[in-house]
Amino acid sequence: MSSLALALADGAVVAKRNLIKIKRVPEVLIWTTMSPIMFVLLFSYVFGASIAVEGVNYREFLMAGIFAQTMIFGSTFTGAGLAEDMTKGIIDRFRSLPISKSAVLIGRTGSDIVYNLISVVVMSLTGLVVGWRIRTSIVDAIAGFLLLLLFSYAVSWIMAFVGLKVTSVEVVNNASFMFIMPLTFVSNAFVPSENLPGPLRTFAEWNPISSLALAVRELFGNTGGVPAADVWSLQNPLAYSLICIFGILAVFIPLAIRQYGKTAARG
Amino acid sequence: MLMSDMIRTSGLVKRYGPVTALNGLDLRVPQGKVLGLLGPNGAGKTTAVRILSTLLEPDEGEVMVAGLDVRANPQEVKKRIGLSGQSAAIDDQLTGFENLDMVGRMYHLGRKGSRARARRLLEEFSLTEAADRPSKTYSGGMRRRLDLAAALVAEPAVIFLDEPTTGLDPRSRSQMWETIQRLVSEGATVLLTTQYMEEADRLADEIVVIDKGEKIAQGTATELKYQIGGERIGVVLEDRDDLATAQTILMKFAVDDVQVDEQARQLTAGVAGGAEDLRQVLQLFSDSSIKLADVGLHRPTLDDVFLSLTGHSTEEEDEAASSGPKDGKKDGKQNKKEASR
């Protein structure tokens, strides 16, 4: 077996273990999926009443943004889970076994896809209840969901690196909150970026969250025909999103694997 | 290295910043033997085990396990060793079966092979009834048994046990000892760390005492006891006039001087033969019609060992350990302190 196949097989064993843990402590999953429901309802009914986006129903505009935000929040799970594992004896067990060095990370990021998939399903159902609809083909819809999951997978590796670096669940959760809130709010996730003042607008236009939200909006047919801002990232949101995704993966997979070796050897 | 040496280190050095955890440690364990690594908290026992079991890179020195260079060939070494640490390395949320099945998969025993091995080990370690319960519901003794079972999944040739019975109640401890003895009788080579003289005495073919990362004594339990001064017979006489006779009798057994406290009518002598010596001493006392107010056989404690070998007690080591870089981080360490009191 090649070393990649071996790493994937070992990763699958770790992923299975993580999924069993979700099953054993379902409260965690329930609370994680509650927050996107809350966001959908809050934005739809509190802000939705005051925010008008030209050419499209705000609730439809909003959904792609909340999808994007939830995908990023979901990735903090990866960091928190790894940080927790690193403080437990189980990591010594893993390290004393002849598994691939990247197996723990492949397993963790892999099992978190399942987490995010569940979040997406719950959110979609909530969206349908408040009036969100997919107005394109099934192929486009699937492409939209895949893009969301792929993006969250990439961000998982950033959070894996962070979680291994700080090895404290609390710090991971608090620190990532401080990054994720501005990152998602200074974007076109909840409001059109055209309305933002100068520097914030530029930031929002090149913020990957914007291109992700816009790409998903286009794939779900929720743009209402409003033309995108005249910057490359938003004229080609799908391409820009994919560039960001693979860029993140190319940088953070090796970084996280190296950090795993360092952190584990510290003990 | 001799073919029969399953574990060998030479000049092992490990530093954590300014703290030297191991300072040139040499160890040798022949195939099928048990080496007891004895020392107080912070002596470097866990560091040595972590290096031998591939978890930690040494700064200097040679490490060979099962005929392989650990630094050059960690993956091959991992296939041949089993590690059971002081903080049980099992997943609380997973059942006993799931834990062992997962470990089997990680040794690449395959789906069927892993399941069968898990079932058999649960049976062997009397955990079959608890097999499908999350291991967080297990007692301390059950967790240690599961942890040891996890170490044995791949039937390793070399087993590392880091304080296998620290924090266990006496019954679980003696069960654990029986299990370890069985493994050795089946041909395993074992390196175990402990703070208990009794444990090393019972299980180890050879004992290495370390302090501050250095070997300070080595030998079989008997040799070591002799070196330390061994067990001590203490008697208090009814009649001061018997002191001289009693001293003469004790001198036949004493490994060094017989200490006499005339005021308290007390004599103390270090002996090598333990209870058997005591029996003979009492017989001779009785033959000479010496009446005793009190008599006792005192085993050397780890504190005695350290007092005699280093001039400081294990208490001071505890202090040093809690401010050390890694100690106190793992919950197992906390248990250890309680247990050692």
Side-chain angles (χ1 to χ4, degrees):
Chain A
M1 235 193 299
S2 77
S3 61
L4 178 65
L6 202 62
L8 291 176
D10 291 338
V13 179
V14 177
K16 185 185 165 193
R17 167 246 180 190
N18 296 339
L19 293 175
I20 292 173
K21 286 164 81 86
I22 297 180
K23 205 170 72 182
R24 292 284 140 74
V25 198
E27 295 86 347
V28 180
L29 181 65
I30 290 168
W31 286 106
T32 352
T33 49
M34 290 290 273
S35 72
I37 295 178
M38 184 193 73
F39 269 111
V40 171
L41 297 178
L42 277 180
F43 274 91
S44 299
Y45 293 105
V46 179
F47 294 122
S50 310
I51 301 174
V53 180
E54 209 177 324
V56 62
N57 175 336
Y58 182 66
R59 286 180 203 166
E60 289 211 356
F61 175 89
L62 172 71
M63 277 307 287
I66 294 186
F67 273 127
Q69 188 189 42
T70 307
M71 289 302 96
I72 305 227
F73 267 120
S75 70
T76 54
F77 237 82
T78 307
L82 276 173
E84 196 191 345
D85 278 350
M86 294 312 276
T87 59
K88 296 255 167 90
I90 189 74
I91 208 73
D92 283 348
R93 171 71 62 215
F94 289 157
R95 293 185 59 237
S96 74
L97 298 174
I99 54 171
S100 160
K101 267 185 193 152
S102 51
V104 171
L105 298 179
I106 290 176
R108 174 60 67 178
T109 51
S111 60
D112 286 345
I113 296 176
V114 177
Y115 242 113
N116 285 318
L117 187 64
I118 295 170
S119 301
V120 165
V121 170
V122 171
M123 247 186 330
S124 302
L125 295 174
T126 317
L128 289 172
V129 170
V130 302
W132 167 70
R133 295 291 180 270
I134 294 174
R135 305 193 183 279
T136 50
S137 67
I138 186 121
V139 177
D140 285 337
I142 290 171
F145 286 122
L146 282 180
L147 184 67
L148 283 167
L149 291 173
L150 196 59
F151 194 87
S152 78
Y153 183 74
V155 182
S156 274
W157 281 94
I158 301 182
M159 295 311 298
F161 173 70
V162 174
L164 291 168
K165 193 103 189 163
V166 302
T167 63
S168 151
V169 179
E170 291 79 15
V171 175
V172 170
N173 284 333
N174 295 331
S176 54
F177 190 78
M178 290 300 293
F179 278 99
I180 291 173
M181 288 310 268
L183 205 61
T184 52
F185 276 89
V186 187
S187 76
N188 70 6
F190 305 116
V191 291
S193 54
E194 290 81 16
N195 302 347
L196 295 169
L200 283 186
R201 178 174 169 178
T202 311
F203 180 85
E205 282 168 350
W206 290 93
N207 184 345
I209 313 282
S210 296
S211 61
L212 175 70
L214 184 57
V216 169
R217 224 167 253 149
E218 287 180 355
L219 287 165
F220 290 162
N222 298 144
T223 58
V226 178
D230 193 20
V231 282
W232 190 86
S233 56
L234 294 179
Q235 287 297 318
N236 306 280
L238 184 58
Y240 184 67
S241 297
L242 289 173
I243 289 170
C244 291
I245 287 169
F246 289 106
I248 290 170
L249 290 173
V251 173
F252 281 93
I253 289 180
L255 267 184
I257 290 173
R258 215 185 57 178
Q259 187 61 40
Y260 172 75
K262 273 197 208 167
T263 305
R266 225 189 268 162
Chain B
M1 147 173 205
L2 293 171
M3 277 308 286
S4 64
D5 276 354
M6 289 301 272
I7 301 171
R8 210 192 75 173
T9 72
S10 54
L12 207 55
V13 174
K14 179 70 193 179
R15 299 182 196 92
Y16 294 103
V19 182
T20 303
L22 290 179
N23 192 11
L25 186 64
D26 300 329
L27 296 173
R28 225 190 110 236
V29 192
Q31 200 267 324
K33 297 289 180 190
V34 181
L35 178 76
L37 200 54
L38 195 67
N41 287 346
K45 304 189 299 289
T46 299
T47 303
V49 167
R50 290 178 73 81
I51 290 173
L52 284 162
S53 57
T54 75
L55 298 183
L56 209 57
E57 283 254 351
D59 293 318
E60 288 167 34
E62 195 192 11
V63 199
M64 304 288 283
V65 171
L68 295 159
D69 185 331
V70 174
R71 304 175 80 169
N73 234 333
Q75 285 300 95
E76 286 304 309
V77 170
K78 285 173 210 263
K79 290 177 190 170
R80 292 164 174 79
I81 61 168
L83 169 67
S84 184
Q86 46 179 297
S87 55
I90 51 177
D91 197 309
D92 279 352
Q93 309 284 355
L94 266 58
T95 66
F97 174 78
E98 286 164 346
N99 265 294
L100 296 182
D101 181 46
M102 173 180 76
V103 172
R105 298 301 295 270
M106 289 180 171
Y107 275 116
H108 308 117
L109 301 183
R111 190 184 160 83
K112 269 179 118 178
S114 301
R115 283 165 170 267
R117 185 78 183 126
R119 290 276 171 229
R120 224 185 53 232
L121 281 167
L122 288 164
E123 176 89 48
E124 264 177 51
F125 283 82
S126 324
L127 289 167
T128 302
E129 270 178 48
D132 297 320
R133 257 173 31 210
S135 57
K136 67 176 174 196
T137 65
Y138 287 14
S139 69
M142 289 164 79
R143 288 170 60 85
R144 288 298 177 91
R145 293 214 298 279
L146 181 61
D147 189 64
L148 181 56
L152 303 178
V153 164
E155 303 182 295
V158 181
I159 303 167
F160 298 104
L161 304 171
D162 191 11
E163 304 202 2
T165 67
T166 296
L168 290 189
D169 62 62
R171 199 174 63 106
S172 307
R173 173 168 301 166
S174 68
Q175 277 179 349
M176 190 58 92
W177 287 348
E178 279 167 30
T179 308
I180 295 168
Q181 280 168 330
R182 180 169 55 87
L183 292 170
V184 176
S185 71
E186 290 165 3
T189 305
V190 176
L191 184 145
L192 80 95
T193 74
T194 183
Q195 324 189 62
Y196 307 122
M197 275 300 273
E198 194 192 353
E199 184 160 288
D201 200 350
R202 168 105 181 241
L203 297 172
D205 297 298
E206 187 167 46
I207 297 171
V208 168
V209 184
I210 63 170
D211 183 34
K212 295 177 175 163
E214 286 177 33
K215 187 191 287 184
I216 54 173
Q218 177 169 14
T220 64
T222 320
E223 286 167 356
L224 214 57
K225 277 183 186 166
Y226 181 83
Q227 203 177 328
I228 294 160
E231 288 162 320
R232 308 189 82 77
I233 293 175
V235 294
V236 180
L237 306 180
E238 286 276 4
D239 193 342
R240 189 159 297 152
D241 297 342
D242 291 332
L243 274 170
T245 328
Q247 187 176 0
T248 316
I249 292 170
L250 278 171
M251 269 159 62
K252 292 178 190 162
F253 299 89
V255 292
D256 43 28
D257 293 342
V258 177
Q259 288 152 9
V260 184
D261 183 340
E262 287 193 29
Q263 206 59 41
R265 302 186 308 275
Q266 189 175 0
L267 298 103
T268 317
V271 295
E276 182 53 29
D277 280 1
L278 179 63
R279 198 188 62 76
Q280 289 182 31
V281 165
L282 292 177
Q283 184 63 52
L284 292 171
F285 278 7
S286 164
D287 292 348
S288 312
S289 305
I290 298 174
K291 288 205 171 67
L292 297 175
D294 191 18
V295 64
L297 180 69
H298 310 287
R299 298 225 158 118
T301 62
L302 192 56
D303 270 335
D304 294 333
V305 174
F306 275 80
L307 273 170
S308 114
L309 289 172
T310 68
H312 67 86
S313 72
T314 55
E315 295 287 322
E316 297 159 35
E317 284 302 308
D318 274 355
E319 301 296 315
S322 57
S323 60
K326 99 159 239 85
D327 296 300
K329 186 178 142 191
K330 298 248 160 76
D331 30 1
K333 289 272 182 186
Q334 311 300 335
N335 295 343
K336 183 161 73 176
K337 281 190 184 171
E338 283 157 34
S340 67
R341 288 296 88 90

